[in-house]
Amino acid sequence: MVPGAKRYMPKNLFKEWEREFRKDARADSLALFCDHLKKLGLPGKPKQLLEGTILAVQACCAYASIDGRSYDDFLAMQTYNPAGAGQTKYSLTFELCQKAFARILTPKKIHHCIDLADLCGHPWHKYKVCGYHELWVTRTDGKALTAREKARIEEEVTDDLRYDYDKDELGFWFDDSTVEGVLRVYLYDVEEDEND
């Protein structure tokens, strides 16, 4: 190394994103996350949503990296305030086996930035559980999902999950009546369900 020259250190994009995300959440006193949970009728535990979101974003980045894809654009979309991520259309909120919640922002084509099947079996070491049991899909602009959007999202979710899991392994169903304008997805292990 040349004397006096600075050593090049690659940036850790995820750590930079996490630092900024936490800073924005603190500045807002997690009010936006409180409102989001309230809208979905979920327990008002915004700190759990914050921690779960960071873990889920990290998992999505890891899977993208394993697949040889860049996750720069994905991270840029994951702003604390969805209004700050111009290309996002939907907010996906995951229930991590009754331990926490996680929110991922996506563009119109959900499967272009997230693999739901990968997250379905992902180990959340912090909580000693795997995957998620429920998923809520909402629009980031606060408007209700249209019938056409619901049908398209149901098709995308089905294609994604069925690519990795067949009907003997994983069951799921959709509900658009519990929360107005929101699509809810319930997932269950078929083998466990049959043994009960």
Side-chain angles (χ1 to χ4, degrees), residues 6-184:
K6 290 186 178 178
R7 188 174 194 181
Y8 173 74
M9 291 288 286
K11 291 182 181 179
N12 184 328
L13 293 178
F14 175 77
K15 283 295 183 192
E16 288 182 13
W17 169 83
E18 181 183 359
R19 193 168 27 253
E20 190 69 22
F21 194 81
R22 286 184 184 279
K23 185 182 90 172
D24 292 346
R26 271 193 311 273
D28 185 48
S29 300
L30 294 169
L32 191 142
F33 273 7
C34 282
D35 292 345
H36 184 71
L37 291 168
K38 185 176 181 181
K39 176 183 177 180
L40 297 177
L42 299 174
K45 298 182 178 180
K47 286 184 181 177
Q48 284 186 345
L49 180 57
L50 175 68
E51 297 305 322
T53 297
I54 290 167
L55 290 175
V57 168
Q58 184 178 38
C60 290
C61 291
Y63 288 120
S65 186
I66 289 168
D67 291 341
R69 295 180 288 120
S70 169
Y71 53 80
D72 298 20
D73 292 341
F74 169 77
L75 270 182
M77 273 191 285
Q78 305 311 310
T79 57
Y80 170 72
N81 185 344
Q87 59 183 341
T88 63
K89 177 83 173 179
Y90 301 113
S91 173
L92 278 60
T93 305
F94 300 84
E95 180 262 325
L96 307 181
C97 304
Q98 300 179 343
K99 299 291 184 179
F101 297 98
R103 187 204 70 185
I104 301 289
L105 303 177
T106 72
K108 185 175 180 180
K109 302 269 187 185
I110 293 169
H111 67 277
H112 283 184
C113 86
I114 185 171
D115 189 323
L116 297 173
D118 283 344
L119 290 181
C120 193
H122 185 78
W124 310 108
H125 296 294
K126 178 175 182 172
Y127 304 117
K128 296 180 173 56
V129 295
C130 286
Y132 57 95
H133 293 148
E134 293 182 60
L135 164 66
W136 292 261
V137 183
T138 57
R139 287 179 52 150
T140 55
D141 62 8
K143 294 179 182 175
L145 293 170
T146 65
R148 178 179 282 178
E149 283 178 305
K150 290 176 194 173
R152 184 175 46 73
I153 292 167
E154 284 186 24
E155 185 177 330
E156 272 194 68
V157 169
T158 300
D159 289 347
D160 187 330
L161 294 175
R162 284 292 170 242
Y163 187 81
D164 286 29
Y165 296 97
D166 64 33
K167 293 179 180 179
D168 295 334
E169 296 175 291
L170 179 70
F172 53 89
W173 55 281
F174 301 94
D175 169 23
D176 66 352
S177 63
T178 304
V179 181
E180 188 176 345
V182 175
L183 183 63
R184 192 172 184 178

